Protein backbone atom coordinates (compact mmCIF):
# COMPACT_ATOMS: atom_id res chain seq x y z
CA UNK A 1 0.00 0.00 0.00
CA UNK A 2 1.62 3.24 -1.16
CA UNK A 3 -1.08 5.82 -0.44
CA UNK A 4 -3.90 6.02 2.07
CA UNK A 5 -6.61 8.63 2.65
CA UNK A 6 -8.47 8.73 5.98
CA UNK A 7 -11.98 10.20 5.79
CA UNK A 8 -14.43 11.31 8.51
CA UNK A 9 -17.26 13.86 8.45
CA UNK A 10 -15.64 17.18 9.31
CA UNK A 11 -11.90 16.41 8.93
CA UNK A 12 -11.30 18.27 12.19
CA UNK A 13 -11.53 15.56 14.91
CA UNK A 14 -10.98 11.94 13.87
CA UNK A 15 -9.31 11.75 10.46
CA UNK A 16 -6.58 14.33 11.28
CA UNK A 17 -5.63 12.08 14.23
CA UNK A 18 -5.53 9.03 11.93
CA UNK A 19 -3.40 10.91 9.39
CA UNK A 20 -0.94 12.16 12.02
CA UNK A 21 -0.68 8.82 13.85
CA UNK A 22 -0.08 7.07 10.52
CA UNK A 23 2.56 9.62 9.48
CA UNK A 24 4.35 9.17 12.79
CA UNK A 25 4.36 5.35 12.44
CA UNK A 26 5.52 5.57 8.81
CA UNK A 27 8.40 7.84 9.79
CA UNK A 28 9.43 5.67 12.75
CA UNK A 29 9.45 2.53 10.62
CA UNK A 30 10.94 4.12 7.48
CA UNK A 31 7.96 3.06 5.35
CA UNK A 32 7.26 4.52 1.92
CA UNK A 33 3.58 5.41 2.22
CA UNK A 34 1.82 8.72 1.56
CA UNK A 35 -1.08 9.59 3.88
CA UNK A 36 -3.64 12.36 3.95
CA UNK A 37 -7.10 13.01 5.40
CA UNK A 38 -10.33 14.67 4.31
CA UNK A 39 -13.97 15.09 5.34
CA UNK A 40 -17.15 14.21 3.49
CA UNK A 41 -18.66 17.51 4.66
CA UNK A 42 -17.74 21.08 3.73
CA UNK A 43 -18.46 22.91 7.00
CA UNK A 44 -14.89 23.10 8.25
CA UNK A 45 -12.83 23.51 5.08
CA UNK A 46 -9.60 25.39 5.85
CA UNK A 47 -9.94 24.99 9.62
CA UNK A 48 -7.37 23.58 12.04
CA UNK A 49 -8.28 20.38 13.94
CA UNK A 50 -10.67 20.78 16.89
CA UNK A 51 -9.13 21.80 20.19
CA UNK A 52 -9.55 18.43 21.90
CA UNK A 53 -7.93 16.55 19.01
CA UNK A 54 -4.96 18.93 19.12
CA UNK A 55 -4.82 18.39 22.89
CA UNK A 56 -5.03 14.59 22.84
CA UNK A 57 -2.44 14.36 20.05
CA UNK A 58 -0.08 16.66 21.93
CA UNK A 59 -0.48 14.50 25.04
CA UNK A 60 0.77 11.59 22.94
CA UNK A 61 3.68 13.60 21.52
CA UNK A 62 2.18 14.49 18.13
CA UNK A 63 1.60 18.02 16.82
CA UNK A 64 -1.43 18.24 14.52
CA UNK A 65 -2.05 21.98 14.87
CA UNK A 66 -0.78 22.75 11.35
CA UNK A 67 -3.25 20.42 9.59
CA UNK A 68 -6.13 22.07 7.70
CA UNK A 69 -9.48 20.51 6.82
CA UNK A 70 -10.46 19.76 3.25
CA UNK A 71 -13.36 18.00 1.57
CA UNK A 72 -12.93 14.67 -0.18
CA UNK A 73 -13.25 14.66 -3.99
CA UNK A 74 -13.79 11.91 -6.57
CA UNK A 75 -10.21 12.49 -7.76
CA UNK A 76 -9.07 11.23 -4.34
CA UNK A 77 -10.41 7.76 -5.24
CA UNK A 78 -7.83 7.63 -8.06
CA UNK A 79 -5.01 9.43 -6.26
CA UNK A 80 -5.13 7.13 -3.21
CA UNK A 81 -4.81 3.36 -3.31
CA UNK A 82 -6.89 2.93 -0.19
CA UNK A 83 -9.71 5.08 1.21
CA UNK A 84 -10.30 4.47 4.93
CA UNK A 85 -13.65 5.59 6.39
CA UNK A 86 -13.80 6.30 10.12
CA UNK A 87 -17.45 5.22 10.53
CA UNK A 88 -20.31 3.53 8.65
CA UNK A 89 -21.93 6.77 7.62
CA UNK A 90 -18.63 8.05 6.14
CA UNK A 91 -18.34 4.65 4.41
CA UNK A 92 -21.84 4.92 2.91
CA UNK A 93 -21.24 8.51 1.74
CA UNK A 94 -17.95 7.54 0.10
CA UNK A 95 -19.54 4.49 -1.53
CA UNK A 96 -22.31 6.72 -2.92
CA UNK A 97 -19.65 9.05 -4.36
CA UNK A 98 -18.18 6.07 -6.21
CA UNK A 99 -15.30 4.89 -4.03
CA UNK A 100 -14.55 1.18 -4.46
CA UNK A 101 -11.11 0.95 -2.87
CA UNK A 102 -12.83 1.50 0.44
CA UNK A 103 -12.51 0.00 3.94
CA UNK A 104 -13.57 0.96 7.45
CA UNK A 105 -10.81 1.68 9.97
CA UNK A 106 -12.52 -0.46 12.64
CA UNK A 107 -11.97 -3.54 10.45
CA UNK A 108 -8.35 -3.40 11.63
CA UNK A 109 -8.73 -4.71 15.15
CA UNK A 110 -12.13 -3.52 16.37
CA UNK A 111 -14.46 -6.00 14.61
CA UNK A 112 -15.52 -3.36 12.11
CA UNK A 113 -16.77 -1.00 14.83
CA UNK A 114 -17.28 2.67 14.03
CA UNK A 115 -14.80 5.18 15.41
CA UNK A 116 -17.41 7.30 17.20
CA UNK A 117 -17.69 11.01 16.47
CA UNK A 118 -16.33 12.76 19.58
CA UNK A 119 -17.34 16.24 18.37
CA UNK A 120 -20.71 16.29 20.08
CA UNK A 121 -19.60 14.54 23.29
CA UNK A 122 -18.95 16.52 26.41
CA UNK A 123 -15.43 16.58 27.66
CA UNK A 124 -12.09 15.12 26.80
CA UNK A 125 -12.64 11.44 27.64
CA UNK A 126 -14.20 10.61 24.28
CA UNK A 127 -11.11 11.91 22.54
CA UNK A 128 -8.84 9.66 24.60
CA UNK A 129 -10.98 6.66 23.65
CA UNK A 130 -11.00 7.67 20.01
CA UNK A 131 -7.22 8.21 20.03
CA UNK A 132 -6.59 4.72 21.45
CA UNK A 133 -8.92 3.10 18.94
CA UNK A 134 -7.49 4.99 15.95
CA UNK A 135 -3.90 4.31 17.03
CA UNK A 136 -4.42 0.59 17.42
CA UNK A 137 -6.24 0.23 14.06
CA UNK A 138 -3.80 2.44 12.15
CA UNK A 139 -0.85 0.40 13.41
CA UNK A 140 -2.58 -2.86 12.38
CA UNK A 141 -3.32 -1.36 8.97
CA UNK A 142 0.26 -0.21 8.39
CA UNK A 143 2.15 -3.11 9.97
CA UNK A 144 4.50 -4.38 7.28
P1 LIG B 1 -15.00 14.66 12.61
O1 LIG B 1 -15.97 15.36 13.65
O2 LIG B 1 -15.89 14.07 11.56
O3 LIG B 1 -14.32 13.62 13.43
O4 LIG B 1 -14.08 15.73 12.10
C1 LIG B 1 -16.95 16.30 13.29
C2 LIG B 1 -16.66 17.63 13.29
C3 LIG B 1 -17.64 18.55 12.94
C4 LIG B 1 -18.89 18.11 12.58
C5 LIG B 1 -19.17 16.78 12.56
C6 LIG B 1 -18.20 15.87 12.91
N1 LIG B 1 -19.91 19.06 12.26
O5 LIG B 1 -21.03 18.62 11.96
O6 LIG B 1 -19.68 20.25 12.27
Amino acid sequence: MKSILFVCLGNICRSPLAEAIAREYIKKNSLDIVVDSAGTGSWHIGEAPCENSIKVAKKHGIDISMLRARQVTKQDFERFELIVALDSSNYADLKAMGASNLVKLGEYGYNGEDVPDPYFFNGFEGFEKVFTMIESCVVNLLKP
Side-chain angles (χ1 to χ4, degrees):
M1 201 61 60
K2 288 276 183 226
S3 55
I4 302 171
L5 181 70
F6 297 97
V7 184
C8 63
L9 182 58
N11 193 210
I12 56 166
C13 298
R14 293 164 293 171
S15 60
L17 286 174
E19 174 190 349
I21 290 167
R23 189 164 293 129
E24 194 79 358
Y25 183 86
I26 288 163
K27 195 171 147 197
K28 251 187 210 146
N29 292 278
S30 307
L31 304 177
D32 181 23
I33 304 170
V34 172
V35 289
D36 194 8
S37 66
T40 56
S42 61
W43 308 282
H44 298 284
I45 292 174
E47 288 180 24
C50 67
E51 233 169 83
N52 277 331
S53 282
I54 293 179
K55 189 171 151 192
V56 76
K58 194 170 174 188
K59 205 174 151 190
H60 292 265
I62 307 174
D63 181 15
I64 63 166
S65 61
M66 81 302 284
L67 296 178
R68 293 295 176 266
R70 73 171 181 91
Q71 191 171 23
V72 69
T73 67
K74 285 183 183 179
Q75 285 75 36
D76 285 318
F77 306 153
E78 283 144 38
R79 278 180 52 212
F80 292 90
E81 265 175 72
L82 188 68
I83 310 290
V84 182
L86 275 282
D87 68 27
S88 316
S89 126
N90 310 144
Y91 186 97
D93 289 343
L94 290 162
K95 195 103 198 155
M97 279 179 76
S100 54
N101 43 343
L102 183 60
V103 294
K104 227 167 82 173
L105 187 61
E107 288 167 29
Y108 296 86
Y110 272 78
N111 290 320
E113 251 180 70
D114 286 346
V115 177
D117 188 346
Y119 189 67
F120 299 105
F121 295 173
N122 283 324
F124 188 61
E125 203 181 310
F127 284 81
E128 286 280 18
K129 261 186 208 152
V130 157
F131 187 97
T132 304
M133 188 172 182
I134 291 175
E135 185 179 44
S136 140
C137 293
V138 162
V139 167
N140 284 335
L141 166 63
L142 293 176
K143 239 187 260 168

